[in-house]
Amino acid sequence: MFKRLKEDIAVVKERDPAARSAFEIWLTYSGLHAVHSYRHAHWFYERKFYTIARIISQFARFRTGIEIHPGAKIGKGLFIDHGMGVVIGETAEIGDNCLIYQGVTLGGTGKDKGKRHPTLGNNVMVGAGAKVLGPFKIGDNVKIAANAVVLEEIPPNCTAAGVPARIVRNRGVKVGFPADLDQVHIPDPVAQEMCAMEMKIEKLQKEISKIENEKQL
């Protein structure tokens, strides 16, 4: 457990330019506290001490503003930056070296039993306020833009943006860590569609004008 805590602190120090020391991170970072409490709660959950697990998770929610269900499966190197308002559901799965910003929800879409929350691959970044809803997979090296609403699977090495989220491939280049943590400067698929429509309308207008000129002659 102490080894894992040391690794989690190292991840925060690597990715957060505001982090000054390991002691400060251990003392003040709510995302680290939430993940550490989750690991305790998950240990009890796996041994079917469900009530104890939920008490630990709810106490962590009270202290940090981050709610992680003890039944979720989380890999190593998760960094929850700021974290207030983050919700991770019971059947959610998170791979290694993922980054989650404040206000993110990894939620379900109904009351069905079984798998109902998303699975995040490795090296996934979920921007502030984004919602990922449903029992599908987000591939490795995916970036989800701030405030995106993801309702379907995203293949590896892609970027998703918009409401509902659409996929934008970054010229086939992987989105990796720690070099690329930008959750804002992401191609806007809606704007791209609007631009394409404007070009088509302009082309049609020119064709109509040409036909009208020919009729006048």
Side-chain angles (χ1 to χ4, degrees):
M1 188 63 71
F2 287 106
K3 181 182 178 182
R4 181 60 64 86
L5 177 60
K6 188 176 180 180
E7 291 173 352
D8 290 338
I9 290 173
V11 167
V12 175
K13 198 169 183 180
E14 178 184 3
R15 296 185 184 176
D16 188 356
R20 293 178 176 83
S21 68
F23 179 73
E24 180 187 61
I25 293 168
W26 174 76
L27 199 64
T28 65
Y29 274 64
S30 59
L32 177 72
H33 297 162
V35 172
H36 193 57
S37 295
Y38 153 78
R39 300 202 190 281
H40 285 290
H42 186 67
W43 188 90
F44 283 103
Y45 188 90
E46 286 189 319
R47 288 153 182 79
K48 302 188 185 301
F49 295 105
Y50 299 123
T51 302
I52 296 174
R54 289 306 301 271
I55 289 171
I56 294 171
S57 68
Q58 290 303 299
F59 181 68
R61 176 179 179 269
F62 174 77
R63 287 194 305 120
T64 66
I66 300 168
E67 182 170 352
I68 306 176
H69 194 286
K73 297 178 181 178
I74 298 177
K76 64 181 181 181
L78 173 63
F79 176 30
I80 302 177
D81 195 5
H82 298 292
M84 179 62 70
V86 168
V87 177
I88 299 174
E90 179 184 14
T91 60
E93 299 177 43
I94 300 175
D96 296 336
N97 304 315
C98 290
L99 172 61
I100 294 177
Y101 284 93
Q102 67 272 16
V104 167
T105 299
L106 304 182
T109 56
K111 296 181 179 179
D112 296 335
K113 298 289 186 181
K115 178 68 171 170
R116 57 192 186 279
H117 300 95
T119 296
L120 272 56
N122 300 322
N123 304 318
V124 173
M125 190 205 77
V126 188
K131 315 300 176 189
V132 187
L133 307 174
F136 48 81
K137 178 159 186 188
I138 306 298
D140 295 345
N141 308 307
V142 164
K143 285 182 72 176
I144 298 173
N147 292 317
V149 178
V150 183
L151 301 174
E152 58 186 18
E153 184 171 335
I154 301 177
N157 307 317
C158 289
T159 298
V163 182
R166 299 183 186 185
I167 295 170
V168 180
R169 291 187 181 275
N170 277 352
R171 301 177 184 176
V173 178
K174 279 190 176 184
V175 180
F177 291 103
D180 189 357
L181 302 179
D182 188 354
Q183 59 175 325
V184 178
H185 298 98
I186 289 172
D188 185 348
V190 176
Q192 290 175 347
E193 289 291 336
M194 292 291 289
C195 184
M197 288 177 63
E198 286 179 2
M199 292 176 64
K200 288 179 182 178
I201 291 170
E202 185 178 348
K203 183 178 179 181
L204 288 170
Q205 286 176 336
K206 288 180 180 179
E207 290 179 358
I208 291 170
S209 298
K210 183 178 179 182
I211 293 170
E212 288 178 348
N213 290 334
E214 289 175 353
K215 284 183 179 180
Q216 289 177 358
L217 294 172

